[in-house]
Amino acid sequence: MESVKVNTSQHVEIDYPVSGLGERIAARLIDLACFIGLYILFIVLVLMTGLSGLSDASPYIFYVVIGLYFAAYVFYNLICEIFMNGQSIGKKLMKIKVISLDGGQPSIGQYFIRWVFRIIDFGMTGQVGGLICIAVSEKKQRIGDIVAGTTVIRTVPRTAFEQIAFRPVEEDYVPVFNNANELSDRDMELIHEVLITFNKTHNPDLIYTMAARISAHLGISLPEGMNELDFLRTIVKDYNYTTSMA
């Protein structure tokens, strides 16, 4: 998963999971779908009430409503991003948001600049200029993002807790295999990858092969009543405990 390195105002570099091109396209399509839905609803209401009746009530109502609709369409992204913390409806559903390159929330000026440059990113380039720029730029920025000093990131954590290889162990934990710290970090990463793969595929051969490799490397045998899966899980806990206590 790609990430963007952001320098915060405290001069600390933080890696954020950057939004992919597909997610940004999907968010834009969702936003467009919302406006298409509203437009269809408006047409249906006009047909139900009768266009002539609406015009008789006030000859300007129809045009005022159409004008408000297109004004909402033009200013939609700017208003949403300012008042929805860098998100539109589409971005919120896709779990992405706009941030400043200093790691904070963009200013109104930054939102305004990236909104103005939609003319170049989408209007003047047939909807493809911004997409090409996102695809080739280092920080996945469209032209408006580059000028405004912003980018778009994912709002969900990249890694769930159960996917973390090196977890803290309880202080009162008693290790089963005291020489587990003879393994390397790479060995532990491989064990972790095998456990994750087993949970997805339920292929026991992966567990048997890795358990045999680890037990041979450490010169130990599996205790009576402990299967290969429990052995690998125990090795992970023992390694985390012994290395944290070192």
Side-chain angles (χ1 to χ4, degrees), residues 159-212:
T159 306
F161 182 76
E162 61 270 13
Q163 294 176 303
I164 299 174
F166 305 105
R167 308 184 198 173
V169 180
E170 301 86 357
E171 292 184 2
D172 58 350
Y173 177 76
V174 178
V176 178
F177 305 104
N178 292 313
N179 61 338
N181 59 352
E182 295 177 11
L183 298 170
S184 66
D185 286 350
R186 180 56 183 160
D187 291 329
M188 298 307 298
E189 289 172 359
L190 288 173
I191 293 174
H192 177 66
E193 290 172 7
V194 166
L195 291 173
I196 291 296
T197 304
F198 173 75
N199 289 334
K200 293 178 180 178
T201 65
H202 302 289
N203 180 4
D205 292 339
L206 294 171
I207 300 297
Y208 295 147
T209 301
M210 180 55 70

Side-chain angles (χ1 to χ4, degrees), residues 8 23 26 59 74 93 105 169 171 177 207 213 215 225:
T8 69
E23 291 167 317
V74 171
L93 290 176
Q105 182 176 351
V169 180
E171 292 184 2
F177 305 104
I207 300 297
R213 174 181 171 181
S215 61

Side-chain angles (χ1 to χ4, degrees), residues 20-21 24-25 28 114 117-137 139-146 152:
L21 182 59
R24 294 179 72 162
I25 292 175
R28 180 163 173 77
R114 77 186 305 273
F117 272 83
R118 293 178 69 85
I119 299 173
I120 299 176
D121 283 319
F122 304 115
M124 296 175 60
T125 58
Q127 302 288 318
V128 299
L131 301 181
I132 293 174
C133 192
I134 293 169
V136 302
S137 63
K139 296 183 178 179
K140 304 304 177 185
Q141 298 167 289
R142 63 177 176 85
I143 299 171
D145 286 316
I146 294 173
V152 180

Side-chain angles (χ1 to χ4, degrees), residues 23-233:
E23 291 167 317
R24 294 179 72 162
I25 292 175
R28 180 163 173 77
L29 291 176
I30 291 171
D31 290 332
L32 288 174
C34 290
F35 276 96
I36 292 173
L38 287 175
Y39 183 75
I40 293 174
L41 178 62
F42 172 70
I43 295 299
V44 170
L45 290 175
V46 168
L47 294 175
M48 289 178 63
T49 57
L51 182 58
S52 59
L54 184 63
S55 299
D56 293 340
S58 173
Y60 300 106
I61 290 179
F62 179 80
Y63 301 104
V64 169
V65 172
I66 288 293
L68 290 174
Y69 174 84
F70 282 104
Y73 177 79
V74 171
F75 292 100
Y76 167 78
N77 285 278
L78 176 62
I79 294 173
C80 282
E81 288 176 3
I82 290 176
F83 293 101
M84 294 176 60
N85 191 27
Q87 294 179 301
S88 62
I89 294 174
K91 286 186 177 71
K92 194 171 187 66
L93 290 176
M94 293 305 300
K95 294 181 172 58
I96 61 178
K97 65 179 291 187
V98 181
I99 67 163
S100 175
L101 289 182
D102 64 3
Q105 182 176 351
S107 65
I108 293 178
Q110 287 175 295
Y111 286 133
F112 180 78
I113 290 172
R114 77 186 305 273
W115 172 76
V116 168
F117 272 83
R118 293 178 69 85
I119 299 173
I120 299 176
D121 283 319
F122 304 115
M124 296 175 60
T125 58
Q127 302 288 318
V128 299
L131 301 181
I132 293 174
C133 192
I134 293 169
V136 302
S137 63
E138 180 183 359
K139 296 183 178 179
K140 304 304 177 185
Q141 298 167 289
R142 63 177 176 85
I143 299 171
D145 286 316
I146 294 173
V147 178
T150 58
T151 189
V152 180
I153 63 168
R154 292 184 173 96
T155 60
V156 293
R158 285 180 296 174
T159 306
F161 182 76
E162 61 270 13
Q163 294 176 303
I164 299 174
F166 305 105
R167 308 184 198 173
V169 180
E170 301 86 357
E171 292 184 2
D172 58 350
Y173 177 76
V174 178
V176 178
F177 305 104
N178 292 313
N179 61 338
N181 59 352
E182 295 177 11
L183 298 170
S184 66
D185 286 350
R186 180 56 183 160
D187 291 329
M188 298 307 298
E189 289 172 359
L190 288 173
I191 293 174
H192 177 66
E193 290 172 7
V194 166
L195 291 173
I196 291 296
T197 304
F198 173 75
N199 289 334
K200 293 178 180 178
T201 65
H202 302 289
N203 180 4
D205 292 339
L206 294 171
I207 300 297
Y208 295 147
T209 301
M210 180 55 70
R213 174 181 171 181
I214 296 300
S215 61
H217 178 76
L218 295 178
I220 57 178
S221 300
L222 274 65
E224 186 177 352
M226 178 180 288
N227 60 39
E228 285 80 358
L229 180 59
D230 289 337
F231 170 71
L232 292 180
R233 289 172 174 168

Side-chain angles (χ1 to χ4, degrees), residues 6-12 101-104:
V6 169
N7 288 303
T8 69
S9 55
Q10 292 80 27
H11 305 292
V12 177
L101 289 182
D102 64 3

